[in-house]
Amino acid sequence: MALADDRRHQMFPVLDAAQVASACRFASGPPRRFAAGEVMFDVGDCDAPVWLVLDGAIDVTRRDGLGHEKPITRQGIGQFTGEVSQLAGRASLAAGHASADGCTALPIDAAHLRALVVGAAELGEIVMRALILRRVGLIEGDASGSVLVGTPGDAQVTGLQGFLTRNGYPNTLVDADSDEGREIVERLGILAADLPLMVCPNGAVLKRPGTAEAAACLGMTPELDPEAVHDVAIVGAGPAGLAAAVYAASEGLSVLVLDQRAIGGQAGASARIENYLGFPTGISGQALAGRAYNQALKFGAELAIPLEVERLVCAGDGDRAPHALQLTSGQRVRARTVVIASGARYRRPDIENLRLFEGAGVSYWVSPIEARLCAGEEVALVGGGNSAGQAVVFLAPKVKTLHLVVRGAGLEASMSRYLIDRIAALPNVVLHTRTELVALEGDVERGLVGGRYRNRDTGEEHPCDLRHVFLFVGADPNTGWLQDCVALDGGGFVTTGADGAGPGRSTSLETSRPGLFAIGDVRAGSVKRVAAAVGEGAAVVAQIHAHLAADAATAQAVEATP
Ligand SMILES: Cc1cc2nc3c(=O)[nH]c(=O)nc-3n(C[C@H](O)[C@H](O)[C@H](O)COP(=O)(O)OP(=O)(O)OC[C@H]3O[C@@H](n4cnc5c(N)ncnc54)[C@H](O)[C@@H]3O)c2cc1C
């Protein structure tokens, strides 16, 4: 079978009679008959079930916010609808209607679908693969998802593109200055001051939206039940938080993951991770995060993005659980245990005019979006660590000249040998040692046009042409929201492993406050690597179980006391 046929077969498999019988056991309701042409689900519908076709067929189409529509496929007997949105009851990105002969189909809602992919091993694999490949197909194809209308390279446009792409939502950008862009702006009666626009898949138009508005329009963020007490609330959906979610949910704990931005954390900003076990050809941080996200959904973890935790509400010492998290949205979340997986944020070096160009010439990561924007241009990349090295290797082939600016005398002390060798083989990389970038020049109209370097030995400054700057100068822990509730070290990282556990109980990942755990980059002494963060995410679950068991035993003893 040709590769493309094989992929299409995996995307739209036909279940045999035994597999259909097995799938029927997971139905969430009785079979339903649809008349010819009847709409079974539409773009934007939340909680649309997967439909398993028992008779007739379903015509499935994709449609973007502007109403451009294209057929995806016709699902016949033994086939089923849906993509990863259906695992969590999120808004549908496709539409389906019964074909000319009508259709009889069996609904499988989100909870039953998750039970199927976990409980029916072989069938679960077929279904899960199909759901993921269909989402990938929507991202790669046109006529689906949101349409952004704005100026390419504008900070807000780039921010929205990054937000949608990093969270795995299909999107296209229409240049507001193109014929199509002008026609849309005129038709919608939009003023220049209202740009950028986001036209959601359901046709709703947002003017200059922030990520919270964009997420709400896409139906990304689940309703949070204020009465619910989760077994575990995880703050941060980077590698550490996602790993903890997968292991905790797969072991039957009720899990809520909150992230203020996107899945993948810092790793999501990595163009290619080459040292993560099991990926000999490397994997992009986004692809790795996407896989982990789907895995967490499959096991029933609830992921709420973008929601920022404003503060941890410190319970009194005697009042151990549940712990509470106050969100900037005003909501409050309660949980028996909290996992602090809030990682680190990029450090801002002291560069004149830096804030003026953030998101509009200055970036703290490199993705294909940024690479496209600086194709054929002069760029500077500041930093001498491994993440800087990876970014250089990814970016240099796409730009005119890449100026690599480091404070030290060379790269040897801070970068892995394989990256140094690869950089040495790139003809358009100019290494500036013992150098700092001290100022950026330009204005809102022209954008970033230049900068000034300073030699650290002589203090001499000299100007340079620059259209883009990438900063890879380390990160500080995201611990401001902890409000002094747990002990931190001198650098602001969360300390773990205090005394006080019962016999045979490890607390290596427990903070100074029982029931609160810290993992990944935010933890004092952690190894700042994806694999280490993932390992801690797996390990913390055993300690959570032990804590919950000890709490339950204490509660029982209190109840038994006359
Ligand atoms: C560009 C780059 C390339 C890298 N390449 C590699 C590599 O090749 N190999 C490797 O092993 N490591 C690499 N690293 C390091 C690796 O990415 C980190 O060690 C890893 O991401 C740490 O994971 P984490 O989950 O602990 O934290 P993070 O990845 O920092 O994730 C923390 C998450 O918490 C969220 N958050 C923070 N505060 C709040 C709050 N108050 N409310 C809600 N959410 C919050 C953030 O939005 C973020 O998503 C790279 C890092 C960068 C920046």
Side-chain angles (χ1 to χ4, degrees):
M1 196 184 287
L3 210 61
D5 290 345
D6 188 32
R7 184 170 154 123
R8 187 143 183 97
H9 177 73
Q10 292 184 337
M11 238 178 175
F12 304 111
V14 184
L15 305 183
D16 63 25
Q19 288 166 337
V20 169
S22 170
C24 286
R25 295 206 319 271
F26 294 92
S28 51
R32 202 175 138 190
R33 180 74 197 163
F34 293 89
E38 188 175 346
V39 174
M40 298 174 69
F41 56 95
D42 202 359
V43 173
D45 283 358
C46 285
D47 293 320
V50 158
W51 290 102
L52 172 66
V53 183
L54 302 178
D55 185 39
I58 305 173
D59 288 320
V60 184
T61 53
R62 58 179 192 256
R63 193 174 70 233
D64 70 15
L66 294 172
H68 302 124
E69 191 160 2
K70 285 203 172 159
I72 296 179
T73 191
R74 171 169 290 185
Q75 303 277 40
I77 295 171
Q79 292 188 290
F80 54 91
T81 61
E83 49 87 40
V84 287
S85 295
Q86 272 61 54
L87 274 173
R90 302 275 158 80
S92 179
L93 290 168
H97 59 268
S99 62
D101 295 332
C103 171
T104 303
L106 201 63
I108 306 176
D109 68 14
H112 289 79
L113 182 62
R114 291 195 298 269
L116 184 157
V117 291
V118 174
E122 190 202 345
L123 175 63
E125 188 185 328
I126 294 170
V127 172
M128 193 68 195
R129 185 178 296 119
L131 301 182
I132 292 171
L133 287 175
R134 290 173 191 177
R135 172 62 74 94
V136 172
L138 288 171
I139 291 171
E140 288 174 350
D142 56 354
S144 82
S146 309
V147 179
L148 302 173
V149 184
T151 307
D154 166 81
Q156 207 177 346
V157 170
T158 310
L160 281 168
Q161 277 183 297
F163 172 71
L164 296 173
T165 305
R166 285 187 60 180
N167 283 301
Y169 277 80
N171 63 92
T172 42
L173 172 64
V174 176
D175 186 343
D177 269 341
S178 67
D179 290 345
E180 188 188 3
R182 274 192 290 271
E183 187 273 318
I184 296 168
V185 167
E186 209 176 291
R187 177 155 47 88
L188 296 174
I190 300 296
L191 302 173
D194 294 331
L195 294 174
L197 294 184
M198 174 167 155
V199 190
C200 302
N202 63 3
V205 178
L206 306 180
K207 299 172 186 172
R208 301 184 63 80
T211 51
E213 255 182 292
C217 197
L218 290 168
M220 261 174 85
T221 326
E223 292 280 317
L224 295 179
D225 175 0
E227 300 305 318
V229 179
H230 306 270
D231 289 330
V232 196
I234 300 172
V235 182
L242 287 173
V246 167
Y247 285 94
S250 68
E251 291 180 22
L253 298 175
S254 64
V255 178
L256 174 68
V257 185
L258 301 148
D259 198 292
Q260 64 193 7
R261 205 164 297 120
I263 53 169
Q266 296 169 76
S270 174
R272 187 149 294 271
I273 299 170
E274 301 212 38
N275 56 3
Y276 189 63
L277 193 72
F279 293 90
T281 56
I283 182 166
S284 77
Q286 256 171 44
L288 189 65
R291 287 169 185 227
Y293 173 78
N294 291 332
Q295 215 170 354
L297 283 186
K298 161 178 148 174
F299 287 118
E302 206 177 329
L303 285 104
I305 301 171
L307 284 180
E308 180 178 1
V309 178
E310 185 176 68
R311 67 192 170 91
L312 175 66
V313 182
C314 273
D317 276 342
D319 182 13
R320 284 166 55 121
H323 305 281
L325 300 170
Q326 180 65 44
L327 311 189
T328 51
S329 59
Q331 294 150 293
R332 203 170 252 222
V333 161
R334 294 189 304 153
R336 293 180 186 88
T337 61
V338 173
V339 175
I340 301 163
S342 49
R345 66 176 170 279
Y346 319 109
R347 208 170 277 157
R348 284 195 167 89
D350 189 14
I351 298 176
E352 205 180 305
N353 292 331
L354 180 62
R355 284 187 190 262
L356 189 63
F357 297 108
E358 279 179 340
V362 172
S363 302
Y364 293 85
W365 57 84
V366 179
S367 76
I369 297 173
E370 286 77 25
R372 253 197 313 277
L373 288 174
C374 56
E377 308 262 24
E378 295 278 335
V379 309
L381 196 145
V382 182
N386 277 344
S387 52
Q390 287 170 3
V392 172
V393 171
F394 175 73
L395 199 57
K398 298 165 177 79
V399 304
K400 186 174 167 199
T401 312
L402 190 149
H403 299 272
L404 177 56
V405 182
V406 296
R407 290 159 62 92
L411 299 173
E412 282 71 15
S414 53
M415 198 181 281
S416 297
R417 188 73 243 170
Y418 82 97
L419 286 168
I420 297 177
D421 292 343
R422 285 194 192 170
I423 290 171
L426 293 166
N428 63 337
V429 175
V430 180
L431 179 62
H432 302 258
T433 56
R434 303 286 303 152
T435 304
E436 287 167 332
L437 180 66
V438 290
L440 299 177
E441 280 153 21
D443 49 48
V444 178
E445 277 75 43
R446 291 176 303 153
L448 177 63
V449 294
R452 268 198 331 273
Y453 294 133
R454 178 189 293 146
N455 182 301
R456 297 188 72 216
D457 295 324
T458 63
E460 266 175 44
E461 292 191 6
H462 62 95
C464 56
D465 289 339
L466 280 182
R467 295 293 295 163
H468 294 268
V469 171
F470 294 88
L471 299 171
F472 287 83
V473 291
D476 294 314
N478 281 321
T479 44
W481 61 278
L482 292 170
Q483 305 273 321
D484 300 328
C485 282
V486 297
L488 307 179
D489 73 1
F493 291 88
V494 182
T495 55
T496 55
D499 295 338
R505 225 189 105 193
S506 166
T507 56
S508 58
L509 301 171
E510 195 160 23
T511 68
S512 56
R513 192 167 284 264
L516 302 186
F517 300 84
I519 56 172
D521 276 18
V522 76
R523 194 176 72 78
S526 66
V527 176
K528 310 302 187 236
R529 285 277 180 274
V530 175
V534 168
E536 292 187 6
V540 76
V541 177
Q543 297 184 23
I544 290 171
H545 276 305
H547 174 86
L548 291 174
D551 254 9
T554 310
Q556 254 179 8
V558 170
E559 252 175 52
T561 309

